Amino acid sequence: MMARARRTRTWALRALACGTLLATAALGLPVQQATAAPPDPAVPLPQLLSRLQDLYQQAEVATETYDQAKEQLTQHRSQAKLLSQQLADERIALADARDRAAQLAQQQYKNGAVSPYANLLLSDTPQDLFNQSHFLRRAAGSQAEIVAELKNGEVRISALSKESQHSLDSAQQLEQKQHQAKDEIETQLANVEKIVAGLTGTQLSELQRLEQQGIEQAQRDFIDSKQLGASGRAPSTAGNHAIGYAYRQLGKPYVWGAEGPDSYDCSGLTSQAWASAGLAIPRTSEEQWKQLTHIPLNAMRPGDLVVYFAGATHVAIYIGDGLVIQAPRPGAVVKISPIAANPILGAVRPDPAEASLDGYQPLAAPSGTSAATGATAPTPIG
C-alpha cells in the first residue's frame, strides 16, 4: 500500500507539471489571430474546454487520415513505377517477337511455300528433300511458338495496362484524400487558435486547471479500477530499444504528418521507435490497432502500445508504472504522460512471441527534463 501511495504521489506531481491543451495552443498562436473575437462569455469554461478538446481530436482524426493516405500513396506510386517498367519490358519483348515473325515469313517466302510432291520432283537427291522437309517442320514449329508468344504478349500487355491505370487512378484519389485531410487539419487548428486568441490570461489559467484536474481524476479512476495489473514487468529486448528511442525524442515538437527525426505525430513516434528496434510496424495508429496483437491492459509490459479513442486515432508507447511517452498534439512536445490522459481503447504488442528481459532496469527521464512534459521548464501562458 505504501509503495502504491508513493507511486500515486509521484504521478500527481508529474500531472501537475503536465503541459496542457491551452498552453500548447497559445504557443502555436499566429500573431494575426491576436485580434480574433473573444468567445461568448455565456459559455461555461468546462464546455469551452470540451469544445477545444473536440477540435484537437478532429484534427488528430484528420492527421491519421492524412498519414494513411500518404503511406498508401507511396505504395501505389512504387507499384505504378514497377508496372510501368514491366509494361515497357513486355512491349520490347512483343516487338522482338514480331520482328522474328517477319523474318520467318520472309525466309519461308524465299524458300517457297510449295507442296512436298513438288519438292520431290524438284529435288536433285533424296537428301535434298530431307533437308527441305526438316527446315519446313522447324519453320512450322517456330511459327507456332512465335504466334503463341505474340498472343500471350498481347494478353500480358493488356492486363498490365489495366493494372497500371488502376494504380495511377488510385494514386490520384489518394492525393485528393490527402489534400482534403490537410485542409481539415488546418481548419480545426485554426478554430482552436481563434478561440484561444480571445481568452484572457485568467480564463487560460482556469482552463489549464480544469484540464489537469480531469487528467488527474481519470488516472486515479484507472488505477483504482485495477485494470493496469502488476507493476515491475520487463519489456522484450526490442521493446527496450523502442523505449530508449522514445526517451531520446523527449522535448521534440509534435508536427502532424511527421515521423522524425526532428518532429513527430503520435503514430510517427511509435512506428519509428519500433523501427529503430528492427521491427517494422504499420505507420498509423488505426493500422497499428488493426494489425498488431491485442493484449489485456493488465498484461501490458513496457514497449507495448496504448491506443486511444473509439476510432484508434491516437497512440502512445507504454513505459511502465502507469506512464506513457506520447507525441500529444500540435503545439506540444514529445512527453511522458499518465496513461489515462486520453480515453483508452486498448493495448497492442508488436512482438508477442518475444520473451521479457531478465534483470530489467527502467530508464530514468533525461537530466533536467520534467517527466510529465518533456520540457526543461514549464512555459507560462499569456
Side-chain angles (χ1 to χ4, degrees):
M1 290 293 292
M2 291 181 63
R4 180 180 167 190
R6 282 196 298 272
R7 287 198 300 272
T8 302
R9 285 196 298 274
T10 300
W11 172 80
L13 290 172
R14 287 168 170 161
L16 289 172
C18 181
T20 66
L21 181 152
L22 287 313
T24 58
L27 286 172
L29 183 64
V31 174
Q32 63 266 30
Q33 293 290 349
T35 57
D40 185 349
V43 177
L45 286 178
Q47 186 176 331
L48 185 59
L49 176 60
S50 178
R51 172 63 177 150
L52 288 167
Q53 290 171 332
D54 285 345
L55 289 171
Y56 267 122
Q57 174 59 14
Q58 290 168 28
E60 189 151 50
V61 169
T63 296
E64 286 299 297
T65 301
Y66 175 90
D67 287 342
Q68 188 174 43
K70 180 182 177 183
E71 187 79 359
Q72 291 174 341
L73 181 58
T74 299
Q75 293 171 1
H76 276 280
R77 281 176 173 164
S78 178
Q79 182 186 28
K81 184 177 180 181
L82 178 62
L83 289 171
S84 178
Q85 184 59 55
Q86 290 176 342
L87 193 55
D89 292 343
E90 285 290 346
R91 283 176 173 151
I92 291 171
L94 184 60
D96 181 62
R98 284 174 176 157
D99 286 344
R100 285 188 285 115
Q103 290 171 4
L104 181 60
Q106 267 188 339
Q107 189 64 39
Q108 285 180 311
Y109 177 78
K110 287 178 182 179
N111 288 297
V114 295
S115 72
Y117 298 105
N119 280 330
L120 180 61
L121 293 172
L122 295 171
S123 298
D124 293 331
T125 66
Q127 184 62 40
D128 290 337
L129 175 61
F130 173 79
N131 290 338
Q132 290 182 30
S133 299
H134 181 63
F135 170 77
L136 289 172
R137 283 196 300 273
R138 286 181 59 192
S142 297
Q143 188 176 36
E145 289 173 4
I146 291 173
V147 168
E149 190 174 342
L150 288 170
K151 183 178 179 181
N152 292 335
E154 292 284 2
V155 170
R156 287 194 298 270
I157 284 175
S158 177
L160 282 169
S161 295
K162 289 179 181 177
E163 191 176 355
S164 180
Q165 188 59 51
H166 175 71
S167 187
L168 289 172
D169 290 344
S170 297
Q172 193 172 36
Q173 291 170 4
L174 286 166
E175 279 185 312
Q176 185 178 4
K177 185 178 180 181
Q178 191 178 19
H179 286 307
Q180 289 172 344
K182 178 178 181 290
D183 291 342
E184 177 67 16
I185 295 164
E186 291 173 345
T187 297
Q188 301 307 335
L189 295 181
N191 289 336
V192 170
E193 290 170 353
K194 288 176 184 176
I195 292 173
V196 173
L199 296 173
T200 66
T202 301
Q203 288 173 315
L204 286 171
S205 296
E206 179 60 16
L207 284 171
Q208 178 177 342
R209 186 191 68 78
L210 286 172
E211 187 184 33
Q212 289 178 346
Q213 188 179 69
I215 292 173
E216 291 174 24
Q217 186 61 54
Q219 184 76 354
R220 280 195 297 269
D221 291 345
F222 180 74
I223 297 297
D224 290 343
S225 72
K226 310 293 185 184
Q227 292 183 72
L228 193 57
S231 62
R233 287 194 174 96
S236 64
T237 299
N240 194 35
H241 281 292
I243 294 168
Y245 180 94
Y247 265 95
R248 292 192 296 275
Q249 311 319 307
L250 289 172
K252 292 185 179 180
Y254 176 106
V255 174
W256 57 265
E259 48 188 325
D262 300 320
S263 58
Y264 297 88
D265 63 20
C266 67
S267 55
L269 175 65
T270 54
S271 61
Q272 288 303 305
W274 273 94
S276 74
L279 182 60
I281 64 172
R283 167 64 175 90
T284 66
S285 59
E286 183 180 348
E287 289 301 309
Q288 289 170 8
W289 175 249
K290 187 184 298 183
Q291 296 185 35
L292 300 180
T293 300
H294 288 216
I295 56 169
L297 294 176
N298 62 11
M300 279 193 304
R301 67 186 183 188
D304 291 339
L305 305 183
V306 184
V307 183
Y308 297 93
F309 300 103
T313 54
H314 188 69
V315 65
I317 186 165
Y318 186 59
I319 58 173
D321 291 329
L323 299 171
V324 296
I325 292 179
Q326 63 164 335
R329 57 189 166 222
V333 296
V334 176
K335 64 181 183 179
I336 297 173
S337 301
I339 189 173
N342 295 298
I344 299 172
L345 176 62
V348 293
R349 180 167 295 168
D351 60 343
E354 299 302 316
S356 298
L357 284 170
D358 291 328
Y360 171 67
Q361 293 295 323
L363 292 170
S367 176
T369 299
S370 166
T373 65
T376 54
T379 303
I381 300 172

